[in-house]
Amino acid sequence: MYPKTRMRRLRRDILRPIFTETRLSPEAFCLPLFFDEAAKEEVPISSMPGQVRYPLSAAEPLAKTLYAEGVRSVILFGIPREKDACATQAFAEDGVIQRAVSAMKAAEPRLVVITDLCACEYTSHGHCGIIREGELDNDESLLLMQKIAVSQAKAGADMVAPSCMLDGMVSAIREALDYEGFSNIPIMSYSTKFASSLYGPFREAADSGFSFGDRQSYQMNPANAREAFRESELDAEEGADILMVKPATFYLDVLADIHSLGLPVAAYHVSGEYAMIKAAAANGWIDEKKVVMEAMTSIKRAGADLIITYYTRDILRWLNE
Ligand code: PBG
Ligand code: ZN
């Protein structure tokens, strides 16, 4: 008469922790950082409360502090003093990101320093490569990505993360890195990056808004799951070491799908996802810590090995409580 199977039996307080399927480990979180070449001190990012643009002088102390807090990897974005049509500062030897990388690695060699590899923060028009007749020129932009990749590796980056969504970007970058003697530097490809409305706060943070058009000719249509799988499959064939899905929480189905390719998978919990939680928490409508941990658990459950999130420092603190 009564249920033979009682799911509630294992939900008792003392049993629940034992049968927890998904756990968050501190090593799995990666913190994005913004370095602003023109900044003299930390500049708060208003759309991302708690996040700042750092001056270059902060690179060394920050590397030490973060590592001491338990942060094991960071991904760097640069805001150059000068922008131009061909993103010269993205591959300059003394460019903002090159200097930030070498300072951080010198201060704390154990910290994994990843560089975002794109042109949009460095171009005057704000697009992710070279523009010809109003369009992003794929193959010419690939040459630019090769130059940026090599300059970042020379500066000491442990890994490069191309986010431009150009066709053939992984094979082009792999070839350039190998040719220059960086065959051991992994490529974490933003393999499935959607043309999402959740990047708004980032564009303020990185000063990478575009002066015309949008990114729909190169970023993916949020409606397309099969195309999303193909995008990542292609990058895997081109030699990507790690695949990525971005944004994270709206795209967990895609993440789970791509996990089946067998490569390590990263998920980027983006600026808009961060800002939404911050805003609701600031209004007292949700419990920030609980919502963040639930979001992270869902991303991990869907198959992410690495989670890139602006909440990394808080999460490490909360995991220790
Ligand atoms: C640049 C880049 C973007 C993000 C990461 N790299 C913005 C964009 O594509 O417009 C977004 C990150 C975030 O929103 O947190 N290619
Ligand atoms: Zn870009």
Side-chain angles (χ1 to χ4, degrees):
M1 266 329 181
Y2 297 110
K4 193 166 80 184
T5 304
R6 291 183 186 271
M7 301 302 283
R8 294 178 57 191
R9 283 184 200 122
L10 297 186
R11 289 182 197 148
R12 276 174 58 207
D13 268 2
I14 57 164
L15 293 175
R16 233 170 91 114
I18 301 176
F19 297 101
T20 299
E21 295 176 33
T22 308
R23 275 176 225 282
L24 300 174
S25 53
E27 305 79 30
F29 293 93
C30 175
L31 176 69
L33 295 172
F34 301 98
F35 282 98
D36 183 342
E37 194 173 22
K40 293 262 180 304
E41 51 195 44
E42 292 181 8
V43 184
I45 301 164
S46 60
S47 55
M48 298 174 72
Q51 302 300 310
V52 301
R53 292 183 183 193
Y54 289 101
L56 275 169
S57 59
E60 289 190 31
L62 194 56
K64 293 193 174 114
T65 312
L66 292 176
Y67 192 84
E69 285 177 18
V71 177
R72 291 295 169 265
S73 67
V74 292
I75 180 162
L76 308 190
F77 296 90
I79 301 122
R81 210 185 290 269
E82 307 282 343
K83 301 182 188 233
D84 58 27
C86 44
T88 312
Q89 284 305 307
F91 55 88
E93 209 174 304
D94 62 349
V96 55
I97 226 52
Q98 289 73 9
R99 285 159 67 197
V101 171
S102 53
M104 291 193 94
K105 287 303 292 183
E108 181 45 88
R110 291 171 295 181
L111 183 70
V112 173
V113 179
I114 305 169
T115 44
D116 180 83
L117 204 178
C118 201
C120 51
E121 295 111 81
Y122 303 89
T123 50
S124 36
H125 45 68
H127 282 283
C128 304
I130 305 293
I131 298 289
R132 288 274 171 245
E133 288 156 20
E135 291 278 343
L136 186 67
D137 185 312
N138 196 86
D139 298 4
E140 199 177 334
S141 302
L142 288 180
L143 296 172
L144 171 62
M145 297 306 151
Q146 291 181 313
K147 281 196 267 188
I148 304 175
V150 170
S151 80
Q152 293 178 341
K154 280 186 178 157
D158 293 298
M159 194 188 291
V160 296
S163 63
C164 51
M165 285 295 282
L166 294 165
D167 287 323
M169 69 177 184
V170 175
S171 47
I173 292 165
R174 185 72 274 158
E175 195 179 294
L177 288 176
D178 289 356
Y179 182 78
E180 295 285 341
F182 297 109
S183 54
N184 284 328
I185 298 293
I187 299 175
M188 174 161 73
S189 174
Y190 284 68
S191 52
T192 297
K193 176 172 173 182
F194 291 92
S196 171
S197 308
L198 292 165
Y199 306 148
F202 172 93
R203 288 178 188 159
E204 180 201 318
D207 189 20
S208 67
F210 27 80
S211 54
F212 67 92
D214 54 38
R215 298 216 209 286
Q216 297 200 29
S217 78
Y218 44 106
Q219 297 183 351
M220 276 210 49
N221 179 348
N224 293 2
R226 281 180 298 153
E227 185 190 346
F229 186 79
R230 272 187 80 207
E231 271 284 4
S232 277
E233 198 176 31
L234 276 171
D235 282 13
E237 283 165 14
E238 287 180 31
D241 298 278
I242 303 166
L243 302 170
M244 194 197 297
V245 176
K246 174 183 168 198
T249 47
F250 288 7
Y251 298 92
L252 296 181
D253 55 332
V254 173
L255 185 60
D257 214 12
I258 283 167
H259 188 252
S260 71
L261 282 167
L263 270 70
V265 183
Y268 200 140
H269 187 252
V270 303
S271 57
E273 296 175 276
Y274 175 85
M276 289 192 292
I277 300 177
K278 275 284 173 201
N283 274 298
W285 297 334
I286 58 170
D287 179 323
E288 184 176 27
K289 174 183 166 182
K290 286 188 175 149
V291 170
V292 170
M293 292 318 237
E294 190 172 331
M296 297 304 143
T297 301
S298 76
I299 297 166
K300 180 85 192 168
R301 195 187 60 229
D305 299 288
L306 182 74
I307 304 177
I308 302 169
T309 173
Y310 304 97
Y311 269 116
T312 294
R313 295 175 85 169
D314 304 282
I315 292 166
L316 296 181
R317 215 177 50 244
W318 291 330
L319 284 174
N320 259 325
E321 276 171 4

mmCIF file of all heavy atoms in Angstrom, residues 81 93 96 112 152 159 197 209 245 253 265 288 310 312 317:
data_model
loop_
_atom_site.group_PDB
_atom_site.id
_atom_site.type_symbol
_atom_site.label_atom_id
_atom_site.label_comp_id
_atom_site.label_asym_id
_atom_site.label_seq_id
_atom_site.Cartn_x
_atom_site.Cartn_y
_atom_site.Cartn_z
ATOM 1 N N ARG A 81 45.781 52.335 -23.787
ATOM 2 C CA ARG A 81 45.653 53.786 -23.839
ATOM 3 C C ARG A 81 45.224 54.226 -25.236
ATOM 4 O O ARG A 81 44.373 55.083 -25.388
ATOM 5 C CB ARG A 81 47.016 54.410 -23.503
ATOM 6 C CG ARG A 81 46.968 55.747 -22.831
ATOM 7 C CD ARG A 81 48.373 56.307 -22.671
ATOM 8 N NE ARG A 81 49.173 55.586 -21.682
ATOM 9 C CZ ARG A 81 49.222 55.920 -20.389
ATOM 10 N NH1 ARG A 81 48.535 56.941 -19.939
ATOM 11 N NH2 ARG A 81 49.972 55.234 -19.549
ATOM 12 N N GLU A 93 54.871 44.602 -27.804
ATOM 13 C CA GLU A 93 55.702 43.964 -26.775
ATOM 14 C C GLU A 93 55.487 44.597 -25.398
ATOM 15 O O GLU A 93 55.514 43.917 -24.373
ATOM 16 C CB GLU A 93 57.173 44.095 -27.183
ATOM 17 C CG GLU A 93 58.045 42.985 -26.665
ATOM 18 C CD GLU A 93 59.452 43.100 -27.238
ATOM 19 O OE1 GLU A 93 59.595 43.132 -28.487
ATOM 20 O OE2 GLU A 93 60.382 43.187 -26.429
ATOM 21 N N VAL A 96 49.572 46.601 -22.770
ATOM 22 C CA VAL A 96 49.066 46.510 -21.396
ATOM 23 C C VAL A 96 48.980 45.063 -20.908
ATOM 24 O O VAL A 96 49.355 44.743 -19.775
ATOM 25 C CB VAL A 96 47.709 47.270 -21.256
ATOM 26 C CG1 VAL A 96 46.669 46.790 -22.256
ATOM 27 C CG2 VAL A 96 47.165 47.162 -19.841
ATOM 28 N N VAL A 112 48.238 30.449 -12.484
ATOM 29 C CA VAL A 112 48.051 30.214 -13.918
ATOM 30 C C VAL A 112 47.469 31.482 -14.540
ATOM 31 O O VAL A 112 46.382 31.927 -14.160
ATOM 32 C CB VAL A 112 47.104 29.021 -14.165
ATOM 33 C CG1 VAL A 112 46.784 28.883 -15.652
ATOM 34 C CG2 VAL A 112 47.722 27.737 -13.621
ATOM 35 N N GLN A 152 51.539 37.219 -26.593
ATOM 36 C CA GLN A 152 51.087 36.856 -25.236
ATOM 37 C C GLN A 152 51.925 35.704 -24.689
ATOM 38 O O GLN A 152 52.303 35.699 -23.513
ATOM 39 C CB GLN A 152 49.594 36.484 -25.262
ATOM 40 C CG GLN A 152 48.695 37.692 -25.586
ATOM 41 C CD GLN A 152 47.214 37.339 -25.659
ATOM 42 O OE1 GLN A 152 46.850 36.172 -25.820
ATOM 43 N NE2 GLN A 152 46.357 38.345 -25.543
ATOM 44 N N MET A 159 48.509 30.115 -20.966
ATOM 45 C CA MET A 159 47.482 29.587 -21.858
ATOM 46 C C MET A 159 46.846 30.758 -22.585
ATOM 47 O O MET A 159 46.739 31.842 -21.988
ATOM 48 C CB MET A 159 46.416 28.892 -20.996
ATOM 49 C CG MET A 159 45.444 28.009 -21.730
ATOM 50 S SD MET A 159 44.107 27.432 -20.656
ATOM 51 C CE MET A 159 44.936 26.316 -19.563
ATOM 52 N N SER A 197 22.892 38.848 -24.977
ATOM 53 C CA SER A 197 22.633 40.178 -24.418
ATOM 54 C C SER A 197 23.209 40.314 -23.016
ATOM 55 O O SER A 197 22.979 41.311 -22.338
ATOM 56 C CB SER A 197 21.131 40.429 -24.348
ATOM 57 O OG SER A 197 20.556 40.177 -25.597
ATOM 58 N N GLY A 209 32.723 48.306 -26.389
ATOM 59 C CA GLY A 209 31.490 48.436 -27.165
ATOM 60 C C GLY A 209 31.849 48.794 -28.595
ATOM 61 O O GLY A 209 32.908 49.352 -28.856
ATOM 62 N N VAL A 245 31.920 27.172 -23.275
ATOM 63 C CA VAL A 245 30.570 27.626 -23.567
ATOM 64 C C VAL A 245 30.379 28.937 -22.811
ATOM 65 O O VAL A 245 30.730 29.057 -21.648
ATOM 66 C CB VAL A 245 29.501 26.602 -23.124
ATOM 67 C CG1 VAL A 245 28.102 27.152 -23.341
ATOM 68 C CG2 VAL A 245 29.684 25.298 -23.891
ATOM 69 N N ASP A 253 22.253 23.232 -21.417
ATOM 70 C CA ASP A 253 22.002 22.106 -22.332
ATOM 71 C C ASP A 253 23.168 21.960 -23.310
ATOM 72 O O ASP A 253 23.652 20.859 -23.588
ATOM 73 C CB ASP A 253 20.683 22.300 -23.088
ATOM 74 C CG ASP A 253 20.621 23.630 -23.840
ATOM 75 O OD1 ASP A 253 21.277 24.618 -23.400
ATOM 76 O OD2 ASP A 253 19.939 23.698 -24.886
ATOM 77 N N VAL A 265 36.072 21.039 -20.520
ATOM 78 C CA VAL A 265 35.161 22.112 -20.913
ATOM 79 C C VAL A 265 35.153 23.207 -19.852
ATOM 80 O O VAL A 265 35.087 22.930 -18.655
ATOM 81 C CB VAL A 265 33.713 21.584 -21.091
ATOM 82 C CG1 VAL A 265 32.800 22.700 -21.566
ATOM 83 C CG2 VAL A 265 33.675 20.441 -22.081
ATOM 84 N N GLU A 288 22.403 36.185 -1.807
ATOM 85 C CA GLU A 288 23.480 36.173 -2.798
ATOM 86 C C GLU A 288 24.312 34.892 -2.759
ATOM 87 O O GLU A 288 24.502 34.230 -3.777
ATOM 88 C CB GLU A 288 24.398 37.387 -2.594
ATOM 89 C CG GLU A 288 25.489 37.490 -3.654
ATOM 90 C CD GLU A 288 26.332 38.759 -3.508
ATOM 91 O OE1 GLU A 288 26.457 39.281 -2.378
ATOM 92 O OE2 GLU A 288 26.875 39.220 -4.532
ATOM 93 N N TYR A 310 33.325 36.119 -12.090
ATOM 94 C CA TYR A 310 33.707 37.292 -11.307
ATOM 95 C C TYR A 310 33.477 37.034 -9.816
ATOM 96 O O TYR A 310 33.923 37.809 -8.978
ATOM 97 C CB TYR A 310 32.908 38.519 -11.786
ATOM 98 C CG TYR A 310 33.108 38.761 -13.274
ATOM 99 C CD1 TYR A 310 32.191 38.300 -14.224
ATOM 100 C CD2 TYR A 310 34.260 39.397 -13.732
ATOM 101 C CE1 TYR A 310 32.396 38.475 -15.587
ATOM 102 C CE2 TYR A 310 34.478 39.581 -15.091
ATOM 103 C CZ TYR A 310 33.539 39.113 -16.010
ATOM 104 O OH TYR A 310 33.761 39.280 -17.351
ATOM 105 N N THR A 312 34.634 34.463 -8.230
ATOM 106 C CA THR A 312 35.644 33.512 -7.752
ATOM 107 C C THR A 312 36.121 33.767 -6.323
ATOM 108 O O THR A 312 36.151 32.852 -5.494
ATOM 109 C CB THR A 312 36.848 33.479 -8.728
ATOM 110 O OG1 THR A 312 36.396 32.944 -9.973
ATOM 111 C CG2 THR A 312 37.990 32.617 -8.196
ATOM 112 N N ARG A 317 35.982 32.003 -0.561
ATOM 113 C CA ARG A 317 35.728 32.339 0.848
ATOM 114 C C ARG A 317 34.555 31.503 1.378
ATOM 115 O O ARG A 317 34.644 30.894 2.430
ATOM 116 C CB ARG A 317 35.410 33.836 0.951
ATOM 117 C CG ARG A 317 35.920 34.508 2.202
ATOM 118 C CD ARG A 317 35.630 36.006 2.220
ATOM 119 N NE ARG A 317 34.256 36.324 1.920
ATOM 120 C CZ ARG A 317 33.852 37.019 0.846
ATOM 121 N NH1 ARG A 317 34.704 37.477 -0.026
ATOM 122 N NH2 ARG A 317 32.564 37.268 0.657
#
